[in-house]
């Protein structure tokens, strides 16, 4: 859609909703979601040129690289206040819903001691083993649904084995995580159906996690050896010191982490496989990197696939003070206090003034070109794991001899709302 039509649509919304700021935000969000689904790259490209920081009433869209980073790194002005209400209902306090301050510092520090950067290689091995086992299971059939059979199941297994939070069964755990993610991060328009599904999932997951915490506490008290899981480590922190997370906080954090893990890793991996399938040369080169055991090179292919097919179009913040974005440039823009700001990371990663040949698939980019995991205070907590785990999943799929899309619609990546639901690949049976 040309930028003129986009701006015309904004004007129409203005006329239709009058002075109702809440309805305006809703309408713009709906418009923006539709545009993103239909032609995201075109919409962003137009905005980057014509109106890099578009502010209207209490909504703003920021599309250039430096401005997106400015928003995400100015956490005192651009807060995460809007995550608070849905999170309170689902998890209670969780770091992504907390602004900079003592509560954030305490939560993130205690969590980092239990969810450690040094675990990443072990967790990636677990991901590779699980993905390898799941691939081996489908080999006799000559067919795999990448989303259902692999991408959803690997992070669910990691949640069970690394966090220590198995579901009542795996499909329920996956479903809970999707529904809760949708309510916390996608349901900006307060869709009642999503909210209701989230209420049901919350009513299921909270007592389930409480029971797991109580069960592990009793087992440890009874002399059972500690498991090497985030849950057992958090319980051990309690035994060691008064600063530790309470049981209610452990529940909040475990739910927050699993919601952050399953839908995101699944979607990012499925999108990366899809993007590589569309590029036979890069697919072949990635396969040879995999065969050669060159993990860093393989990870570059995955990073680039993720940049061109990102897991999210952007991140939302709310200003608590008037702020001038891009001060001193020709597009310096005042964003008033109380504005909902959409920092379009997808657009930033395609900004040709920073990213060389932005629409080309290149594996020689500096790490700083990638904003998959956000920037600033709330940069993804799982990033150290993701950088190893997502390539491990993608590699397991690529390594299936003779794998290709099933002809027809089933072979395309199907997305329902925010999440991939299916993509069928076929290969010669073993
Ligand atoms: C092990 C898996 C993951 C875990 C445990 C996890 C957890 C988290 C947590 C706790 C935060 C908030 C950090 C903070 O407030 O300090 C966060 C932020 C974020 N995560 Fe992840 N995440 C995971 C996977 C992913 C994946 C696969 C992606 C994308 C491909 C992703 C993208 C992001 C982004 C963009 C943010 C910033 C959100 C914002 O600033 O609004 N995460 N993640």
């Amino acid at each position: 859609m040309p930028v003129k039509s986009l701006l015309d649509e904004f004007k129409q919304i203005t006329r239709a909703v009058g002075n109702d700021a809440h309805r305006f935000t809703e309408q713009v969000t709906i418009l923006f979601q539709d545009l993103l689904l239909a032609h995201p790259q075109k919409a962003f490209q137009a905005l980057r040129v014509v109106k890099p920081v578009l502010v209207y009433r209490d909504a703003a869209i920021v599309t250039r690289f430096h401005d997106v980073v400015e928003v995400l790194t100015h956490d005192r002005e651009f807060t995460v206040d809007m995550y608070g209400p849905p999170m309170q209902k689902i998890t209670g306090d969780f770091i992504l819903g907390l602004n900079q301050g003592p509560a954030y510092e305490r939560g993130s520090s205690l969590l980092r001691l239990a969810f450690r950067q040094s675990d990443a290689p072990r967790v990636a091995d677990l991901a590779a083993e699980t993905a390898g086992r799941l691939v081996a299971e489908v080999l006799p059939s000559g067919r795999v649904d990448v989303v259902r059979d692999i991408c959803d199941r690997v992070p669910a297994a990691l949640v069970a084995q690394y966090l220590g939070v198995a579901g009542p069964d795996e499909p329920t755990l996956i479903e809970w995580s999707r529904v809760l993610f949708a309510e916390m991060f996608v349901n900006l328009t307060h869709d009642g159906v999503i909210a209701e599904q989230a209420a049901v999932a919350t009513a299921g997951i909270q007592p389930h996690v409480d029971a797991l915490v109580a069960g592990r506490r009793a087992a440890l008290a009874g002399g059972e050896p500690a498991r090497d899981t985030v849950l057992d480590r958090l319980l051990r922190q309690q035994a060691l010191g008064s600063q530790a997370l309470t049981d209610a906080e452990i529940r909040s954090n475990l739910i927050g982490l699993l919601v952050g893990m399953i839908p995101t890793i699944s979607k990012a991996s499925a999108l990366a496989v899809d993007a590589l399938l569309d590029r036979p040369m890069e697919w072949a080169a990635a396969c040879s990197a995999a065969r050669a055991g060159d993990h860093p090179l393989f990870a570059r292919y995955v990073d680039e696939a993720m940049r061109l097919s990102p897991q999210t179009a952007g991140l939302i913040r709310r200003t608590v003070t008037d702020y001038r974005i891009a001060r001193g440039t020709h597009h310096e823009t005042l964003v008033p206090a109380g504005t909902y700001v959409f920092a379009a990371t997808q657009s930033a990663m395609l900004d040709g003034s920073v990213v060389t040949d932005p629409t080309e698939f290149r594996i020689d980019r500096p790490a700083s070109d990638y904003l998959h995991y956000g920037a600033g205070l709330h940069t993804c907590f799982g990033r150290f794991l993701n950088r190893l785990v997502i390539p491990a999943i993608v590699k397991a799929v690529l390594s299936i001899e003779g794998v290709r899309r099933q002809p027809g619609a089933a072979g395309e990546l199907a997305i329902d709302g925010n999440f991939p639901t299916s993509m069928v690949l076929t290969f010669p049976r073993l």
Side-chain angles (χ1 to χ4, degrees), residues 271-291 294 297-309 357-365 370 394-395 398-399:
L271 284 168
V273 171
D274 185 54
L276 285 166
L277 276 169
D278 282 346
R279 294 173 174 82
M281 272 173 49
E282 285 77 15
W283 174 279
C287 285
S288 27
R291 275 194 299 275
D294 191 338
L297 180 60
F298 187 82
R300 282 180 172 267
Y301 283 94
V302 173
D303 262 334
E304 188 63 353
M306 288 170 67
R307 183 181 70 85
L308 293 167
S309 292
D357 298 333
T359 54
E360 301 286 302
F361 194 110
R362 289 178 57 159
I363 52 158
D364 60 349
R365 302 188 183 282
Y370 297 102
V394 175
K395 195 179 297 176
L398 260 69
S399 304

Side-chain angles (χ1 to χ4, degrees), residues 171-200:
T172 303
L173 184 69
I174 293 168
E175 181 61 16
W176 278 345
S177 72
R178 284 186 175 221
V179 167
L180 296 177
F181 187 98
E183 173 65 0
M184 283 197 243
F185 303 114
V186 185
N187 192 15
L188 301 169
T189 52
H190 309 297
D191 180 297
V193 175
I194 298 178
E196 178 54 32
Q197 287 171 343
V200 173

Side-chain angles (χ1 to χ4, degrees), residues 72 80 83 94-96 104 115 257 260-261 264-265 268 306 311-312 315-317 371-374 377-382 385-386 390:
L72 297 177
V80 291
Y83 291 142
F94 181 61
I95 52 174
L96 186 47
Y104 178 86
F115 189 111
L257 286 176
M261 266 173 103
T264 52
I265 293 182
M306 288 170 67
Q311 193 257 357
T312 183
L315 303 168
I316 302 189
R317 293 292 187 266
L371 294 174
H372 320 303
Y373 303 127
L377 182 70
H378 293 285
T379 304
C380 178
F381 191 81
L385 259 62
N386 297 334
I390 296 170

Side-chain angles (χ1 to χ4, degrees), residues 105-132:
E105 187 178 63
R106 172 174 171 270
S108 59
S109 303
L110 290 169
L111 209 53
R112 187 53 86 194
L113 288 171
F115 189 111
R116 303 172 193 150
Q117 189 176 156
S118 55
D119 294 331
R122 168 167 83 85
V123 180
D125 285 349
L126 196 55
E129 274 164 38
T130 309

Side-chain angles (χ1 to χ4, degrees), residues 71 73-79 99-101 318-321:
V71 167
T73 52
H74 284 68
D75 52 82
R76 291 195 182 279
E77 295 86 359
F78 297 89
T79 69
N99 292 310
Q100 178 62 282
R318 184 143 204 246
T319 47
V320 285
T321 177

Side-chain angles (χ1 to χ4, degrees), residues 127-355:
E129 274 164 38
T130 309
R133 178 173 51 74
L134 295 172
V135 163
E137 280 173 19
V138 297
L139 283 182
S141 71
R143 174 187 188 281
V144 61
D145 185 327
V146 172
V147 179
R148 288 184 203 162
D149 298 337
I150 314 284
C151 295
D152 278 350
R153 298 193 60 193
V154 175
L158 299 184
V159 165
Q161 293 175 50
Y162 176 58
L163 291 192
V165 185
D169 54 71
E170 200 180 71
T172 303
L173 184 69
I174 293 168
E175 181 61 16
W176 278 345
S177 72
R178 284 186 175 221
V179 167
L180 296 177
F181 187 98
E183 173 65 0
M184 283 197 243
F185 303 114
V186 185
N187 192 15
L188 301 169
T189 52
H190 309 297
D191 180 297
V193 175
I194 298 178
E196 178 54 32
Q197 287 171 343
V200 173
T202 304
I205 200 168
Q206 287 188 346
H208 177 73
V209 176
D210 282 341
L212 288 176
V213 174
R216 285 309 300 154
R217 177 194 307 293
L220 293 172
E224 195 181 293
R227 295 179 185 160
D228 202 7
T229 62
V230 173
L231 168 53
D232 274 23
R233 289 173 183 170
L234 291 171
L235 287 172
R236 182 155 169 73
Q237 283 178 9
Q238 282 186 339
L240 293 176
S242 58
Q243 289 289 320
L245 298 176
T246 63
D247 281 6
E249 289 170 332
I250 291 180
R251 177 180 79 186
S252 301
N253 282 284
L254 290 175
I255 296 176
L257 286 176
L258 78 86
V259 169
M261 266 173 103
I262 299 177
T264 52
I265 293 182
S266 174
K267 184 175 180 182
S269 309
L271 284 168
V273 171
D274 185 54
L276 285 166
L277 276 169
D278 282 346
R279 294 173 174 82
M281 272 173 49
E282 285 77 15
W283 174 279
C287 285
S288 27
R291 275 194 299 275
D294 191 338
H295 304 301
L297 180 60
F298 187 82
R300 282 180 172 267
Y301 283 94
V302 173
D303 262 334
E304 188 63 353
M306 288 170 67
R307 183 181 70 85
L308 293 167
S309 292
Q311 193 257 357
T312 183
L315 303 168
I316 302 189
R317 293 292 187 266
R318 184 143 204 246
T319 47
V320 285
T321 177
D322 291 358
Y323 185 88
R324 302 194 83 83
I325 294 186
R327 194 178 277 272
T329 69
H330 77 280
H331 68 281
E332 172 176 333
T333 308
L334 174 70
V335 182
T339 304
Y340 290 93
V341 179
F342 187 82
T345 44
Q346 173 178 21
S347 173
M349 291 192 283
L350 291 168
D351 180 349
S353 69
V354 173
V355 178

